Amino acid sequence: MGATPLAWTLAVSLIVALLLFDYFFHVRKEHIPTLKESAIWSALYVGIAIAFGFLVWIFGGTQMGVEYFAGYITEKALSVDNLFVFLLLLTSFKVPRAGQQKALLFGIVFSIFARTGFIFVGAALLNAFSALFYVFGLFLIVTAGRLLAEDDEDDDADNVVVRLAKKFIPATDHYDHDKLFTIENGKKVMTPMMIVMVAIGGTDIMFALDSIPAIFGLTQNVFIVFTATTFSLLGLRQLYFLLDGLLDRLVYLKYGLAAILGFIGVKLILHALHENNLPFINQGEHVAVVEVPTYLSLGVIVAILVVTVVGSLVSPAGKALTVLGNLKRHSHEYLNKNFTDDPVERARLWAKILDNEDKLKTIDRKYFGSEGDVWELEQLLRRVWDDHARYERATDYTR
């Protein structure tokens, strides 16, 4: 199992305590988290994960420590990619801003349970069939290629999990704050919040098909795989609100993730060749190949992420797509009357819309897309301004 029973007990207890704390002290009372709150708690969760890694390093040795940090950084990077899909899901379902926290937390808890099952099943299969390293390696390489070929306009919010959830979970069309059930026509019915939670959790399981093989490519220590994966998911809710407005700017993230998955895929195949027992490869004998040490894997992963993030933040394309993406998203949120009934939140959205409209004037025309895209944006902004004018008149009338 990769660690002593005491280490497992302490790790699981810490994870459960953090989840309970997150629910009772932050999510249970519906509210819209501020940027300061999200930043503080995101930093705290990352700090806890790093501190746990140093404890692993001290008590488990250098090898376990390096494996933990390599796994944690890889899974954290992949979890940021999850946030793009979470954003699509929450926007697609028009989840009220104040209710998004609960949807995210329950979806994350669901995915932790599911990934834990994947981890133990994967570990058992790898122990029984070492040839699976070939399968995992090829799968990651194919996944890397799929990421590179992926169309940015693909609507990941309409995946099979979402369609099944909509089909088999009977729910009303209206939210009742962040409640899972409400009373409609005298009957107790489910709200769309239940579908959103299932969709987030189920979609994250699909992401696990990429992330679990990736971390097994860095370590086969089940304790390290479990803790690194779980700590990368803890704090994902806070990170979502912290990165609000920056996600669209990471335009080169998918290329970095593709490079990481491809690198780990090659590493897995090299390891499979080194441990080979398939009769049709080198007559069932081990193949003398160079294996990539974990510390080198850690360095490569960090370097790829630094280049990817810095390149995204400083590039003209990244800046342009940030403005365009945020302007569209905030406009749709402003027009959605169910998104928020909080005047402060409406004022925040309006300020962001005005700010991004000013920035829009500095963007090169080539980043605007086709003439149809420009026309759709103009129509959207016209609707927003008309809606704001009606809101201002209604506000003045009630004063």
Side-chain angles (χ1 to χ4, degrees), residues 81 84 147-148 150 152 246-257 307-323 325 367:
D81 193 40
F84 286 95
L147 272 176
L148 293 176
E150 190 176 70
D152 290 334
L246 292 179
L247 287 175
D248 292 320
R249 190 164 180 171
L250 300 177
V251 291
Y252 300 128
L253 179 64
K254 73 173 184 178
Y255 300 106
L257 294 178
V307 171
T308 299
V309 173
V310 172
S312 295
L313 295 178
V314 301
S315 70
K319 295 177 181 178
L321 291 176
T322 299
V323 173
Y367 296 115

Side-chain angles (χ1 to χ4, degrees), residues 13-29 31 37 40-41 44-45 48 101 105 109 234 237-238:
S13 299
L14 175 60
I15 291 167
V16 172
L18 288 172
L19 289 171
L20 291 175
F21 179 83
D22 203 12
Y23 175 74
F24 285 105
F25 289 92
H26 292 99
V27 175
R28 190 178 185 183
K29 183 179 180 181
H31 72 286
E37 175 188 339
I40 291 173
W41 289 106
L44 180 62
Y45 274 101
I48 291 173
Q101 291 200 97
L105 180 61
V109 170
L234 292 175
R237 175 185 65 78
Q238 292 86 347

Side-chain angles (χ1 to χ4, degrees), residues 338-379:
N338 292 324
F339 184 76
T340 179
D341 55 1
D342 183 1
V344 175
E345 179 64 11
R346 286 187 66 89
R348 185 190 72 87
L349 286 173
W350 180 245
K352 284 182 173 290
I353 291 170
L354 293 179
D355 180 55
N356 281 288
E357 278 193 318
D358 288 338
K359 292 178 180 177
L360 196 66
K361 301 172 185 176
T362 66
I363 294 178
D364 193 313
R365 175 66 179 75
K366 67 182 180 180
Y367 296 115
F368 277 53
S370 66
E371 292 298 327
D373 294 331
V374 174
W375 183 84
E376 288 182 2
L377 180 60
E378 290 175 346
Q379 295 302 308

Side-chain angles (χ1 to χ4, degrees), residues 95-338:
V95 181
R97 181 76 169 174
Q100 291 181 0
Q101 291 200 97
K102 182 176 285 188
L104 286 169
L105 180 61
F106 276 80
I108 289 168
V109 170
F110 181 80
S111 68
I112 288 176
F113 280 107
R115 289 192 186 207
T116 299
F118 277 137
I119 290 169
F120 284 103
V121 171
L125 290 175
L126 287 173
N127 285 331
F129 309 102
S130 60
L132 277 178
F133 283 112
Y134 287 111
V135 178
F136 279 10
L138 289 172
F139 177 76
L140 290 179
I141 292 173
V142 170
T143 301
R146 192 187 71 212
L147 272 176
L148 293 176
E150 190 176 70
D151 185 354
D152 290 334
E153 299 299 321
D154 286 346
D155 187 3
D156 291 323
D158 192 28
N159 60 38
V160 64
V161 175
V162 175
R163 292 195 295 271
L164 288 174
K166 288 179 177 178
K167 183 177 181 179
F168 292 105
I169 300 178
T172 178
D173 295 329
H174 307 290
Y175 290 95
D176 185 3
H177 297 283
D178 62 355
K179 296 178 181 178
L180 299 181
F181 297 90
T182 188
I183 303 299
E184 190 174 83
N185 298 325
K187 295 181 179 180
K188 190 174 184 180
V189 294
M190 282 189 291
T191 69
M193 188 65 71
M194 179 68 77
I195 299 179
V196 175
M197 290 180 180
V198 173
I200 290 176
T203 302
D204 202 67
I205 291 175
M206 297 175 68
F207 274 97
L209 298 177
D210 298 342
S211 67
I212 298 303
I215 193 170
F216 270 120
L218 297 169
T219 177
Q220 286 80 60
N221 186 309
V222 179
F223 179 77
I224 297 300
V225 173
F226 170 76
T227 53
T229 300
T230 304
F231 277 113
S232 73
L233 292 172
L234 292 175
L236 199 59
R237 175 185 65 78
Q238 292 86 347
L239 188 63
Y240 172 84
F241 289 99
L242 178 63
L243 293 182
D244 181 29
L246 292 179
L247 287 175
D248 292 320
R249 190 164 180 171
L250 300 177
V251 291
Y252 300 128
L253 179 64
K254 73 173 184 178
Y255 300 106
L257 294 178
I260 291 172
L261 292 177
F263 169 75
I264 297 175
V266 172
K267 184 177 184 294
L268 269 172
I269 291 178
L270 291 175
H271 178 73
L273 290 170
H274 188 267
E275 301 292 330
N276 178 64
N277 55 16
L278 294 178
F280 53 85
I281 297 179
N282 198 33
Q283 299 179 339
E285 297 295 327
H286 303 331
V287 181
V289 293
V290 176
E291 285 208 84
V292 181
T294 307
Y295 69 84
L296 179 59
S297 300
L298 176 59
V300 170
I301 291 166
V302 171
I304 291 174
L305 288 176
V306 169
V307 171
T308 299
V309 173
V310 172
S312 295
L313 295 178
V314 301
S315 70
K319 295 177 181 178
L321 291 176
T322 299
V323 173
L324 289 169
N326 288 340
L327 183 56
K328 292 176 184 178
R329 181 157 54 87
H330 292 316
S331 295
H332 285 298
E333 290 172 350
Y334 191 85
L335 291 171
N336 179 15
K337 298 299 182 294
N338 292 324

